Amino acid sequence: MNKDEAGNGLIRVVVADSTHIHTQLLRDALEQDHGLSAVAANSANLVEVATLHKADVCVVSSHLDEDPVRGFEVLRKLRGTLPKIKAVVLLDSSKREIILQAFQAGAKGVFSRNESLETLSQCVRQVHAGQIWANSEQMSFAVETLAAAPLVRAVDANGLNLLSKRELEVVGHLAEGLTNRDIAERMGLSQHTVKNYLFRVFDKLGVSSRMELLCLTLTYPSASVSGKPDLASCKKAAEQGVPSAQIALAQMYSEGKQVQENPIAAYMWYLVSEQTMVEMKEKISNAKRRLAESLTTEEILEAQKGAAQRLKKRAERGPFEVSSGPAHILV
């Protein structure tokens, strides 16, 4: 790396693009950001280079060694050796299956080559901070895949639920898209108490943001976060605009569970849930922006420190137990 990293808080990045020239160009471009320090690698030495330079983030192309999906295999190998490293995958294609493969390989961000190099620096910074980098279409692909995955149960090794009844209630309201203020009013609590509940939930489940928590609850109807969805509660919640219930109802119609199989109804509810999620994402973004305006720089730094600590705990804790088969936790 070209910069002195001693005590200056630089984000260390390792880059592996489809060709040596492209790799060098990306490395040089990232080096223009004074907060980043980048080094070049290839498919053969990526693990070695990332380990040697203690990389925080890797930027790897899906297309390596003249193979359009070789990058995913390389990324899995890298994360097997360095599970805490954050990954951004460079995409040559916007196809659904390619995007999903990137997330399933462990990427925290997917970056289209149509975007600018300046935007890539922003992407690296956001991913390093524990955020997900993806546009609305890419996130919708992830959401649909989550809806088809097995239920993720927040239980420990003894099968005991990690969340209290009150915490499950907060998660249920969150799945409805409510803000902290809305949840506080509905539960008769202060906003400070709701925040404390969410911090405990984040810590127990190993997530660092409301969006990650939302993705873990997508397959549950909010009326019964801790149990299996039933048709009556799903229909009621879906009509009220609860995205998790809309997705669960679509699954029921698609698979013929508790109701006669109806692919048209299933497709309709998937369309409805997709629109609901777009609206929810806008609501979350607006709420985050309003909250950020009320915080001082010191408070934001404190929040970032807390997020980093929770991300560290999550990496050390390992995966959740699932009801059957492997669960694809994409974020």
Side-chain angles (χ1 to χ4, degrees):
M1 296 187 183
N2 297 329
K3 302 176 183 177
D4 179 14
E5 299 178 18
N8 58 11
L10 288 177
I11 299 173
R12 296 172 296 238
V13 187
V14 58
V15 181
D17 205 348
S18 54
T19 69
H20 178 70
I21 292 177
H22 288 159
T23 300
Q24 291 294 333
L25 288 173
L26 275 183
R27 186 197 71 83
D28 293 344
L30 290 173
E31 281 276 306
Q32 297 303 308
D33 185 322
H34 298 300
L36 306 180
S37 182
V39 64
N42 55 48
S43 63
N45 66 8
L46 180 60
V47 175
E48 179 183 357
V49 172
T51 303
L52 178 63
H53 294 281
K54 299 179 181 179
D56 303 302
V57 179
C58 71
V59 178
V60 58
S61 172
S62 61
H63 194 142
L64 294 177
D65 302 334
E66 300 184 354
D67 183 337
V69 294
R70 166 69 171 153
F72 304 136
E73 179 183 342
V74 172
L75 177 55
R76 289 190 183 93
K77 181 180 179 181
L78 173 65
R79 297 192 72 252
T81 304
L82 302 173
K84 295 183 180 181
I85 196 169
K86 307 291 198 318
V88 174
V89 172
L90 301 171
L91 298 177
D92 294 304
S93 168
S94 59
K95 291 182 179 178
R96 176 192 298 262
E97 58 269 23
I98 296 296
I99 293 168
L100 293 179
Q101 284 186 65
F103 280 122
Q104 291 165 351
K108 294 297 183 182
V110 287
F111 191 87
S112 170
R113 293 187 185 276
N114 295 326
E115 299 180 74
S116 69
L117 291 176
E118 292 79 8
T119 306
L120 178 59
S121 293
Q122 297 175 27
C123 171
V124 169
R125 286 176 171 276
Q126 289 294 318
V127 167
H128 178 258
Q131 302 298 315
I132 304 299
W133 184 278
N135 61 35
S136 58
E137 181 183 41
Q138 292 160 346
M139 281 300 297
S140 72
F141 293 159
V143 167
E144 290 171 10
T145 299
L146 279 168
L151 293 179
V152 178
R153 300 191 182 282
V155 298
D156 60 19
N158 298 316
L160 300 176
N161 203 308
L162 293 173
L163 304 183
S164 68
K165 182 178 179 180
R166 200 66 162 165
E167 288 166 348
L168 285 169
E169 188 176 353
V170 171
V171 172
H173 292 320
L174 179 68
E176 295 180 48
L178 300 183
T179 64
N180 285 2
R181 177 179 295 178
D182 295 333
I183 296 173
E185 291 178 355
R186 183 171 296 189
M187 297 180 67
L189 303 171
S190 69
Q191 291 187 56
H192 179 73
T193 300
V194 171
K195 286 182 181 180
N196 286 338
Y197 273 125
L198 285 174
F199 283 140
R200 287 202 292 269
V201 170
F202 287 175
D203 188 50
K204 289 181 178 181
L205 300 187
V207 299
S208 60
S209 69
R210 294 168 70 96
M211 184 61 73
E212 286 189 82
L213 180 59
L214 174 62
C215 286
L216 281 179
T217 61
L218 278 174
T219 53
Y220 297 107
S222 62
S224 57
V225 175
S226 59
K228 295 181 178 180
D230 64 88
L231 182 61
S233 64
C234 271
K235 282 186 174 180
K236 181 178 179 180
E239 292 292 353
Q240 293 174 344
V242 179
S244 53
Q246 293 167 348
I247 294 172
L249 188 59
Q251 282 184 269
M252 290 180 180
Y253 278 118
S254 179
E255 299 170 6
K257 292 182 178 179
Q258 302 186 46
V259 67
Q260 184 176 353
E261 185 175 336
N262 187 335
I264 297 177
Y267 189 73
M268 179 198 74
W269 280 112
Y270 276 131
L271 289 175
V272 172
S273 69
E274 186 175 44
Q275 180 60 36
T276 303
M277 287 301 298
V278 170
E279 295 169 355
M280 176 178 288
K281 185 175 181 180
E282 292 177 355
K283 187 174 183 180
I284 292 172
S285 296
N286 291 334
K288 285 173 60 181
R289 184 164 53 251
R290 288 196 301 270
L291 183 59
E293 291 173 352
S294 68
L295 296 175
T296 65
T297 301
E298 290 75 14
E299 289 172 332
I300 292 175
L301 290 174
E302 182 181 351
Q304 291 175 340
K305 180 179 178 181
Q309 292 172 341
R310 282 167 174 76
L311 285 168
K312 181 178 180 181
K313 288 183 180 180
R314 181 184 65 182
E316 294 171 348
R317 184 179 293 122
F320 293 111
E321 180 180 328
V322 298
S323 56
S324 62
H328 299 303
I329 303 176
L330 303 185
V331 295

